[in-house]
Amino acid sequence: MAEQNKQTVTFIIERQDGPDSKPYTQEFEIPYRPALNVVASLMEIQKNPVTKDGKKVAPVVWECNCLEKVCGACMMVINGRARQACCALIDELEQPIHLAPARTFPVIRDLLIDRSVMFESLKRIQGWVEIDGTWEVKDAPIQNPYTAQTAYEISHCMTCGCCLEACPNVGPQSDFIGPAPTVQAYLFNLHPLGKFDKEKRLNTLMEKGGITSCGNSQNCVQACPKNIKLTTYLAQVNRDVNKQALKNIFNK
Amino acid sequence: MINTTFYLRRLHSICGLLALGGMLMEHIFTNSMALGGSAVFNAALETMELIPKPIFLGIEVGLIAVPFLFHGIYGIYIALQAKNNTGSYGYARNWQFLLQRCTAWYLLVFLIWHVGYLRIFTKGISGTPISYELVQSYISNPIIFVLYIIAMFAAIFHFCNGITTFCMTWGIAKGPRIQCVIDKLCMLMALALCLVTVAYMGSYLL
Ligand code: SF4
Ligand code: SF4
Ligand code: FES
């Protein structure tokens, strides 16, 4: 608990003017108020973008939408760890608070990053269910309620990218699509209609950059703000791809 | 659908567990004979010599050298894909992930030296048979002793942690409880094997 200085909150923010410019840091001080969080603090800085030593600077750029941990947009590295800025309470953070962009993704400006690689990966694993009009809604196969519980948990994923930022095997040095899209493939494989494309998804996950790039460091499950049991489902997908490999070998 | 990456990865995993793990266990088993003294150790080596030369060489090349080279070379490729981040994410499994890669780098260099000097040069080229006395005089050099004991600890950790990750990679251990139990059991096994190693290596110095 940051009892130390209740009057002000100090931030050290890693900034960057454009995708290819060099990062630099700036220190900001804002007045403290109860229940302040990182997004609200960034808004304060935006209102009055003056550094601690009195220099007027361009306001810090970042992204947010929902402000309640459901959209995923506000992911950044706070005191060394990837998390959602909108639910990072100042009272629970050690000061000075270090903010940095999640460099696993391309940085657009300051704390704003481009997470579109995750959406590309979701397309790659076919993260959707084909609805082809074969059934009237009332005749469609139903989901087993136990399976639905698991599916519900995984469907909480907001593509925030915390798990990718924490994963040592995701980044510019590797082509791993990362834990979130891999586990989303399992979500759609659980769906009564989605499972028609199970083989396709599993075969995609066997390709370069698929699940075999996971090195079992298990950072992802610790990082996920939605508490999705990522490592459990990664093991399940491992099981599934192994079975699929046997089918590929012996069924043809 | 060919999925070369998938098969290479799984081959890397199984090679490590069976061929390399088997080789490590054989080393610990045979070398622990040194605890019984010169006669017992030399007798164990002679028993191995009973395997006909061509078969022995076949095993060495097919079941040891080739899997080692594959595991090592493909392993370099895997290790280079990680950006280690234990500084920010200091969880136990992340440390194990880092250690798995550090031990691999150490062993890569060590094994070139170890196999190059003892197997290829000493036993192969100069034709000196390996014996208790040879090993004793070799590791009585404190630097070599330390480098060897680090290598054994590294190999044991790499193998035992490898069993844990094998169970995850092959989808054997799925839930967090079983994964944790396997992790703990493997680390206990690593500890036991390290103690055995200290015992037999130390016995040369007594
Ligand atoms: S368990 Fe796999 S996916 Fe999760 S952080 Fe580690 S390497 Fe990445
Ligand atoms: S799995 Fe969790 S950490 Fe990863 S993107 Fe989804 S919500 Fe974020
Ligand atoms: S703003 Fe939507 S998760 Fe933080």
Side-chain angles (χ1 to χ4, degrees), chain A residues 166 168 170 216 236 239 242, chain B residues 10 83 85 93 171 174 179:
Chain A
V170 177
N216 302 304
Q236 176 65 51
R239 219 181 255 184
N242 289 335
Chain B
R10 291 297 189 259
K83 57 159 201 299
N85 56 9
R93 267 235 57 83
K174 177 177 160 185
Q179 287 184 348

Side-chain angles (χ1 to χ4, degrees), chain A residues 199-200 202-204 206 240-252, chain B residues 1-3 6-7:
Chain A
E199 278 200 17
K200 217 155 101 188
L202 292 178
N203 276 307
T204 309
M206 278 190 236
D240 294 343
V241 290
N242 289 335
K243 279 191 222 152
Q244 185 60 41
L246 289 178
K247 282 189 205 157
N248 290 356
I249 296 171
F250 292 106
N251 284 7
K252 281 174 198 160
Chain B
M1 219 76 65
I2 314 247
N3 298 330
F6 175 83
Y7 293 106

Side-chain angles (χ1 to χ4, degrees), chain B residues 36 43 45 49 58 60 72 102-103 106 108-109 121 126-127 135 141 146 155 157 182 184 198 206:
Chain B
L45 289 185
E49 294 295 325
E60 279 188 310
C102 295
T103 51
Y106 183 81
L108 190 76
V109 178
F121 179 72
S126 24
V135 177
N141 177 335
V146 170
F157 173 83
I182 290 186
K184 294 226 168 83
V198 170
L206 296 179

Side-chain angles (χ1 to χ4, degrees), chain A residues 178-196:
Chain A
T182 307
V183 169
Q184 287 303 303
Y186 180 54
L187 170 68
F188 292 98
N189 284 348
L190 287 177
H191 189 277
L193 296 183
K195 66 161 143 279
F196 294 159

